[in-house]
């Protein structure tokens, strides 16, 4: 056991969840925020437990060969976004591949499954098409930026190297607007004040820009004037929306939108497909890697013109429409009603008439549709982080599709669900990790399962 407030030499041997370095001192585990694989560190212990300790870096004794210079400002080193930006990008990809392999083996007990190297980006910067900036008053000064790690204190951010560069201009304009019109800023501790967040969405292909101001109320001053300034100074600016969120919550967007300028929507493409995006629409934040992910799902599905597909947890129909280009029929299921409305609009936009969408919980709707006689020979699932409900997996097994394509944002629940399906006759042939979120520890995967 290591002593609190004492300093020790620690060798970092791995990186855990949240990008925390996993170090060893004489075999004892020490978690060190900011530690990278192969760093030798002098660490001061801040928390000491029987089986582990937590420490902070006092000195880097020997730099890891994988440690690289930060691209963004050192002032943003406490930002909770890019957990492993200082790690060589190829090493980031290797870690993510290894994370999927180890998790599939440890939790799923699937030791023979082929896990391919993670597919990364040629340029892993400025890749996000959506930004959410909290706004705060700190010492009387308005601050727009991102939350500091493990807090709700905002770090000022003039530019972010993973967000689209149009945000740099928008932040400056919003700051000027706030100052010029003495706009009231929300205080989450007292639930007073008005302006809470700035949200932006950008079409990477169309170059269309949406600006959303989230307010603790239905009014903000001089929004028409703000729209004029945005139109004059932001290339591609298409719409300004006021979103009302009066709740005491960490959820950023409320349900009520008022369009100030434009039509409240932008469009963007994934491959040849066009998608309509509203303030509340879910749309993958990395469009170039989304195309990589979906093309891999399409490759694994290997659809023929007479195939019928179930797309479970279909969202706004992005994967459904990719599949519909090849299949005879695609059924999409999603719990969020607004997402299904968007899915139907997107099907019409792309003139794909072989889709049908259903609203409801997957664990209720999928068994119901199956009982009604709707079945499929290919099933695609893209569940939330918690994975699939057993009733969904049981219905899939009952349908006896030839193939199941599982798109996952969480290796742990993927491993659990693959093991469940493996016991019921569906063997995982291969898994392709895809790096949707460079400089973070998150990894997406696509798995192909076939019936024995």
């Amino acid at each position: 056991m290591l002593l609190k407030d004492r300093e020790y030499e620690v060798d970092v041997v791995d990186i855990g969840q949240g990008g925390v370095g996993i170090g060893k001192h004489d075999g004892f585990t020490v978690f060190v925020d900011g530690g990278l694989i192969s760093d030798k560190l002098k660490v001061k212990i801040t928390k000491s437990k029987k089986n582990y300790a937590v420490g902070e870096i006092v000195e880097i004794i020997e730099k890891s060969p994988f440690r690289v210079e930060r691209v963004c400002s050192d002032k943003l080193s406490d930002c909770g976004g890019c957990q492993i930006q200082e790690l060589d990008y190829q090493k980031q990809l290797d870690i993510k591949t290894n994370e999927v392999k180890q998790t599939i083996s440890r939790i799923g007990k699937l030791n023979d499954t082929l896990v391919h190297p993670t597919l990364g980006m040629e340029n892993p910067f400025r890749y996000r098409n959506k930004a959410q900036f909290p706004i705060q008053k700190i010492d009387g000064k308005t601050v727009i930026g991102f939350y500091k790690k493990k807090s709700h204190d905002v770090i000022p951010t003039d530019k972010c190297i993973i967000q689209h560069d149009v945000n740099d201009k928008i932040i400056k304009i919003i700051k000027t607007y706030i100052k010029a019109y003495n706009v009231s800023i929300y205080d989450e501790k007292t639930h007073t004040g008005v302006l809470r967040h700035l949200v932006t969405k950008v079409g990477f292909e169309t170059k269309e820009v949406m600006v959303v101001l989230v307010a603790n109320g239905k009014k903000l001053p001089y929004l028409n004037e703000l729209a004029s300034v945005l139109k004059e100074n932001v290339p591609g600016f298409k719409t300004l929306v006021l979103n009302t969120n009066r709740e005491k919550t960490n959820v950023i967007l409320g349900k009520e939108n008022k369009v100030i300028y434009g039509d409240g929507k932008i469009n963007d493409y994934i491959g040849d497909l066009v998608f309509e995006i509203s303030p509340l629409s879910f749309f993958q934040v990395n469009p170039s890697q989304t195309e990589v992910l979906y093309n891999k799902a399409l490759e694994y599905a290997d659809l023929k013109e007479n195939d019928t597909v179930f797309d479970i947890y279909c969202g706004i129909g992005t994967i459904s429409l990719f599949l519909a280009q090849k299949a005879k029929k695609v059924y999409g299921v999603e719990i969020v009603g607004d997402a299904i409305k968007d899915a139907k609009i997107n099907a019409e936009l792309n003139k794909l008439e072989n889709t049908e969408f259903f609203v409801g919980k997957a664990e209720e709707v999928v068994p119901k549709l199956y009982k009604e006689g709707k079945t499929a020979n290919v099933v695609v699932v893209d569940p939330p982080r918690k994975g699939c409900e057993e009733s969904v997996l049981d219905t899939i097994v009952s349908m006896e599709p030839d193939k199941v394509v599982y798109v996952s944002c969480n290796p742990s629940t993927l491993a659990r669900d693959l093991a469940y399906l493996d016991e019921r006759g569906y063997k995982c042939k291969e898994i392709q990790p895809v790096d949707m979120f460079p400089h973070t520890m998150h990894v997406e995967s696509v798995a192909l399962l076939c019936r024995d």
Side-chain angles (χ1 to χ4, degrees):
M1 183 171 173
L2 305 186
L3 299 177
K4 187 178 178 183
D5 296 327
R6 287 277 298 274
E7 294 180 359
Y8 299 87
E9 284 193 9
V10 171
D11 294 307
V12 182
V13 297
D14 203 352
I15 293 183
Q17 288 186 346
V20 175
I22 300 173
K24 295 290 182 179
H25 175 82
D26 291 341
F28 194 84
T29 299
V30 184
F31 296 104
V32 188
D33 194 22
L36 299 180
I37 289 178
S38 300
D39 272 340
K40 181 182 283 292
L41 307 170
K42 182 184 286 185
V43 171
K44 182 179 180 180
I45 302 302
T46 57
K47 180 192 290 187
S48 182
K49 297 289 185 181
K50 182 179 179 181
N51 298 318
Y52 72 92
V54 178
E56 57 186 26
I57 298 173
V58 174
E59 178 189 349
I60 299 177
I61 299 169
E62 291 180 18
K63 278 187 179 181
S64 164
F66 307 112
R67 186 177 279 275
V68 297
E69 292 296 319
R70 290 183 63 83
V71 176
C72 69
S73 166
D74 285 337
K75 293 178 182 177
L76 297 176
S77 59
D78 283 335
C79 167
C82 294
Q83 303 145 337
I84 52 173
Q85 186 195 134
E86 291 172 80
L87 188 66
D88 174 75
Y89 185 54
Q90 183 55 54
K91 192 64 177 176
Q92 293 183 29
L93 299 178
D94 294 343
I95 286 172
K96 293 180 184 189
T97 304
N98 192 49
E99 166 70 8
V100 175
K101 284 182 179 178
Q102 288 188 352
T103 306
I104 294 302
S105 175
R106 186 181 73 254
I107 296 176
K109 311 299 183 189
L110 304 176
N111 298 312
D112 299 326
T113 300
L114 172 63
V115 178
H116 295 285
T118 302
L119 296 175
M121 300 186 72
E122 191 173 323
N123 178 22
F125 297 101
R126 297 291 192 179
Y127 62 82
R128 287 184 64 98
N129 59 14
K130 177 185 176 183
Q132 300 179 141
F133 300 99
I135 304 173
Q136 280 183 3
K137 274 270 200 221
I138 299 178
D139 297 328
K141 183 180 178 182
T142 299
V143 174
I144 300 177
F146 295 109
Y147 289 126
K148 186 177 179 180
K149 290 176 187 174
K150 300 176 183 177
S151 82
H152 267 215
D153 296 330
V154 174
I155 299 174
T157 310
D158 292 325
K159 69 176 183 178
C160 172
I161 53 90
I162 63 170
Q163 304 288 355
H164 194 288
D165 56 11
V166 76
N167 288 297
D168 303 349
K169 289 186 176 181
I170 294 171
I171 287 173
K172 288 180 181 178
I173 290 169
I174 298 302
K175 281 183 177 178
T176 302
Y177 160 73
I178 291 169
K179 187 174 181 180
Y181 298 115
N182 195 27
V183 177
S184 170
I185 304 302
Y186 178 72
D187 184 330
E188 67 176 35
K189 293 176 182 175
T190 62
H191 196 53
T192 58
V194 183
L195 184 57
R196 299 172 67 135
H197 275 80
L198 162 65
V199 177
T200 65
K201 296 190 177 189
V202 185
F204 268 52
E205 293 295 325
T206 62
K207 312 301 182 188
E208 295 176 355
V209 177
M210 174 190 295
V211 176
V212 182
L213 296 180
V214 184
N216 180 35
K218 296 185 177 183
K219 290 183 180 180
L220 282 171
Y222 298 99
L223 289 178
N224 290 326
E225 285 77 1
L226 173 60
S228 296
V229 174
L230 290 166
K231 187 178 180 182
E232 289 171 13
N233 293 279
V234 177
F237 171 68
K238 186 168 182 280
T239 190
L240 173 64
V241 177
L242 175 63
N243 175 272
T244 298
N245 183 0
R246 296 181 183 272
E247 301 298 318
K248 294 181 180 179
T249 176
N250 291 333
V251 176
I252 292 170
L253 290 167
K255 295 180 180 179
E256 185 179 342
N257 291 306
K258 180 182 178 183
V259 177
I260 306 302
Y261 175 84
D263 59 2
K265 302 167 187 173
I266 61 171
N267 290 333
D268 202 12
Y269 285 85
I270 302 177
D272 296 328
L273 296 173
V274 63
F275 293 90
E276 185 177 278
I277 304 164
S278 65
L280 300 179
S281 294
F282 172 79
F283 195 67
Q284 291 280 10
V285 300
N286 186 335
S288 64
Q289 288 296 88
T290 297
E291 188 171 358
V292 171
L293 184 77
Y294 289 179
N295 279 333
K296 182 56 66 172
L298 195 58
E299 176 192 324
Y300 281 175
D302 189 24
L303 295 172
K304 307 298 187 292
E305 61 181 15
N306 287 322
D307 285 341
T308 300
V309 185
F310 257 105
D311 179 15
I312 305 172
Y313 314 97
C314 70
I316 65 168
T318 43
I319 294 181
S320 298
L321 301 189
F322 262 69
L323 301 167
Q325 295 177 103
K326 302 284 186 182
K328 179 181 179 181
K329 181 77 175 183
V330 177
Y331 297 110
V333 178
E334 169 61 46
I335 190 172
V336 180
D338 286 343
I340 289 295
K341 288 177 186 176
D342 288 339
K344 291 177 179 178
I345 290 169
N346 290 324
E348 289 178 12
L349 282 174
N350 291 283
K351 297 181 171 57
L352 290 167
E353 299 177 353
N354 57 335
T355 58
E356 196 171 346
F357 296 100
F358 301 88
V359 180
K361 293 181 179 178
E363 63 269 31
E364 296 173 2
V365 174
V366 174
K368 180 174 178 288
L369 293 174
Y370 178 60
K371 285 180 182 178
E372 292 172 358
K374 290 182 172 62
T375 187
N377 56 315
V378 177
V379 171
V380 177
V381 294
D382 184 7
R385 289 190 64 79
K386 68 177 182 177
C388 295
E389 290 78 4
E390 282 191 8
S391 60
V392 173
L393 297 176
D394 289 339
T395 303
I396 291 171
V397 172
S398 298
M399 280 187 192
E400 299 185 343
D402 300 322
K403 290 184 286 288
V404 177
V405 179
Y406 195 128
V407 181
S408 169
C409 60
N410 184 345
S412 297
T413 52
L414 171 65
R416 180 201 68 199
D417 291 349
L418 292 184
Y420 191 88
L421 290 168
D422 182 81
E423 292 172 358
R424 288 153 181 80
Y426 280 86
K427 303 302 177 185
C428 183
K429 302 297 183 183
E430 57 186 289
I431 300 173
Q432 177 61 70
V434 178
D435 189 22
M436 295 283 284
F437 307 99
H439 313 301
T440 78
M441 288 298 290
H442 299 296
V443 60
E444 299 259 341
S445 303
V446 189
L448 170 63
L449 297 92
C450 297
R451 188 155 54 106
D452 277 357

